[in-house]
Amino acid sequence: MNVVILAAGQGKRMHSDLPKVLHPLAGKALLGHVIDTARELGAGKICVVYGHGGERVRAALDAPDLDWARQEPQLGTGHAVLQAMPAIAASAPTESSTVSSTVSSTLVLYGDVPLTRVDTLKRLIAAAGGDKLALLTAHVDNPRGYGRIVRSEGLVTRIVEEKDADDAEKSIREINTGILVAPTAALARWLPSLGNRNAQGEYYLTDIVALAVAEGMPVVTAHPAAAWETEGVNSKLQLAALERVHQRNVADALMEAGVTLADPARIDVRGELVCGRDVSIDVNCVFEGRVVLGDGVRIKANCVLEDAVVGAGSIVGPFARLRPGTALGCDVHIGNFVEVKNSSIADHSKANHLAYLGDATIGSRVNVGAGTITCNYDGANKFRTVIEDDVFIGSDTQLVAPVTVGRGATLGAGTTLTRDAPPEQLTVSRAKQVAVPGWKRPVKLPKPQKED
Ligand code: UD1
Ligand code: MG
């Protein structure tokens, strides 16, 4: 199985300098979703046909398992697939291959159609069976703009594009999604013979259907389970609509696995979220990169977590931010307006209010007071703060790294710690408190009277 992904189109309606297929859905480029789908199918060769955005598209997504074919200028979908044939044909099976694998097929996907399900494509591939042309088609209420599937006595005879269709053909409601599977050898035979004598002057991939029929090759169809599977992105509106579909799918999968979501419409997962048992997530939380939540973790409202691990029974938020490299142990509490970055916090420790903990190693049963800040950055370099087990840090403390607070130490509120604090002792750096006897609070001076 080879996959050709068409991604040469311009995407004018995005009104953006970013090539269309690089616009992110759930934090990943549209084309990245399609490439990952091809990988999940276990594709042999994956060839991306690119053009608009050129090297920027390639640079953004290049990987050792991908081939790239440049299409310049863009003369139609048939012309686009033709550009991929040298890469695809190079994967022609060798004589040592087993009989079944000598039948090579090619699946055509679109770089701006990000949400096609692997199951749907597997059904299409099964329908093609290695020796047939299989089209993914759908029955829709409003077929406008799509190629129509023309059938005779139930059998597909050709596809006619909207712009080439007569009124009878325009009334057909079975449309071409564009996705298809064909035997690779047949594609190699058909594509060079396509013409462009049609309303758009393009080399239509869809014309291979009539060629297959003329050769007596069966043309079969399969259908997506949901309409959004074959919807493409041409505008920011369509991008936002598919983002919502995707997020709802992710939310449904989380709930099916036992996660409690306060509102499945108010969670955004832009990466991988791994949850244990009895995890609950309140509204408006964003998860980026790979986030792991242990059993019984509670994420309260309005949190942002990126590349973080949260141990069992911990509570995060409301309004907390865990940045990359955060590792929380079990029963850790991170409260409102606390930011943690590249830090580990061991079991039963708490930072409940207004703190920045960056590049810190924090032990067990530590209490981080409100307003504590690790001063980890001198404008040029970053330094670590070490806080050992059973430390109590008073409110409004600055820890000027590199610095270590010894086991069981207490830091008095308002301390600016510039040298290590010894274990088990109280360390405090604070101006002495004074009371000034007889001091009077200033009073407002009388306003000057207006003279007539
Ligand atoms: C195509 C199909 C139509 C189908 C519709 C589904 C053809 C002739 N028609 O029409 O039957 O209903 O998709 O959306 O195939 N592309 C290239 N290079 C090109 C032209 C297109 O890479 O030279 C890519 C585009 O980036 C896009 C995709 O192919 O991702 C489809 O191209 P587009 O021009 O939008 O095809 P439609 O006219 O919509
Ligand atoms: Mg077109």
Side-chain angles (χ1 to χ4, degrees):
M1 256 292 307
N2 306 302
V3 178
V4 175
I5 301 173
L6 303 192
Q10 188 173 7
K12 277 197 199 110
R13 282 192 280 150
M14 297 298 274
H15 300 292
S16 168
D17 291 338
L18 187 67
K20 176 165 82 171
V21 292
L22 293 187
H23 280 265
L25 185 144
K28 182 161 79 178
L30 292 171
L31 178 55
H33 284 270
V34 184
I35 290 171
D36 284 349
T37 301
R39 286 179 177 141
E40 249 188 274
L41 282 166
K45 282 259 178 184
I46 301 173
C47 183
V48 183
V49 180
Y50 69 111
H52 268 280
E55 298 309 318
R56 205 168 154 195
V57 173
R58 184 173 177 161
L61 290 160
D62 207 5
D65 62 339
L66 301 180
D67 280 291
W68 296 83
R70 195 170 174 132
Q71 187 201 18
E72 196 65 69
Q74 281 96 49
L75 301 178
T77 49
H79 178 256
V81 178
L82 181 62
Q83 310 311 305
M85 291 318 285
I88 293 304
S91 74
T94 60
E95 281 175 45
S96 62
S97 304
T98 63
V99 176
S100 63
S101 71
T102 57
V103 189
S104 160
S105 296
T106 296
L107 165 68
V108 178
L109 298 175
Y110 295 80
D112 56 0
V113 179
L115 299 184
T116 319
R117 287 207 299 235
V118 167
D119 270 2
T120 296
L121 295 172
K122 281 185 176 160
R123 276 190 286 111
L124 183 69
I125 293 161
D131 59 348
K132 294 182 278 298
L133 175 58
L135 310 173
L136 194 66
T137 75
H139 295 268
V140 297
D141 290 335
N142 178 11
R144 220 177 133 204
Y146 290 101
R148 309 296 207 282
I149 306 297
V150 180
R151 290 179 183 265
S152 168
E153 289 168 10
L155 297 177
V156 177
T157 56
R158 63 193 182 94
I159 296 177
V160 61
E161 292 303 297
E162 165 96 21
K163 287 184 176 134
D164 302 292
D166 60 28
D167 285 345
E169 289 162 342
K170 277 183 188 159
S171 71
I172 297 172
R173 299 207 304 192
E174 186 182 7
I175 59 108
N176 173 35
T177 67
I179 295 170
L180 57 81
V181 176
T184 306
L187 266 186
R189 202 162 59 235
W190 296 331
L191 292 174
S193 73
L194 291 177
N196 65 349
R197 297 217 293 185
N198 51 53
Q200 303 186 78
E202 289 181 6
Y203 296 88
Y204 289 166
L205 176 61
T206 45
D207 284 350
I208 67 171
V209 175
L211 295 177
V213 171
E215 280 186 10
M217 181 186 290
V219 180
V220 296
T221 57
H223 315 288
W228 47 258
E229 288 192 61
T230 55
E231 277 166 15
V233 172
N234 295 297
S235 68
K236 292 288 170 77
L237 272 81
Q238 291 171 340
L239 179 62
L242 286 187
E243 175 82 36
R244 284 303 101 207
V245 166
H246 176 77
Q247 292 300 344
R248 182 63 209 223
N249 290 344
V250 172
D252 288 354
L254 287 169
M255 292 187 295
E256 262 156 28
V259 177
T260 300
L261 299 181
D263 182 356
R266 282 184 288 170
I267 176 172
D268 285 86
V269 181
R270 300 175 192 148
E272 190 190 359
L273 176 58
V274 181
C275 294
R277 287 178 81 79
D278 296 308
V279 167
S280 74
I281 301 171
D282 209 331
V283 298
N284 296 333
C285 293
V286 179
F287 299 88
E288 298 180 290
R290 184 181 154 85
V291 174
V292 180
L293 307 180
D295 291 349
V297 164
R298 284 160 62 197
I299 308 294
K300 297 189 173 183
N302 302 300
C303 292
V304 179
L305 289 80
E306 181 177 4
D307 290 313
V309 177
V310 179
S314 293
I315 301 173
V316 177
F319 298 100
R321 180 172 180 205
L322 305 186
R323 290 172 54 199
T326 295
L328 307 184
C330 297
D331 183 36
V332 170
H333 294 191
I334 300 295
N336 39 220
F337 310 108
V338 174
E339 173 183 350
V340 186
K341 185 216 75 171
N342 191 29
S343 293
S344 63
I345 303 180
D347 301 353
H348 315 296
S349 288
K350 294 174 176 56
N352 271 329
H353 335 265
L354 303 160
Y356 173 58
L357 303 172
D359 303 307
T361 303
I362 300 174
S364 298
R365 296 170 304 277
V366 169
N367 192 311
V368 177
T372 296
I373 290 172
T374 53
C375 309
N376 60 328
Y377 186 48
D378 63 6
N381 301 295
K382 302 239 164 83
F383 300 97
R384 286 202 79 80
T385 299
V386 176
I387 301 172
E388 295 179 354
D389 293 346
D390 299 298
V391 164
F392 182 96
I393 299 181
S395 298
D396 193 25
T397 292
Q398 300 98 55
L399 301 133
V400 183
V403 75
T404 295
V405 183
R407 167 187 286 268
T410 296
L411 301 187
T415 292
T416 300
L417 195 73
T418 52
R419 284 170 284 128
D420 291 354
E424 309 294 345
Q425 291 179 23
L426 170 68
T427 297
V428 60
S429 81
R430 198 191 285 166
K432 277 257 183 320
Q433 181 170 322
V434 293
V436 181
W439 181 82
K440 288 277 187 301
R441 189 185 291 174
V443 291
K444 274 201 175 126
L445 297 171
K447 281 204 178 111
Q449 296 291 314
K450 268 194 191 149
E451 281 175 57
D452 297 309

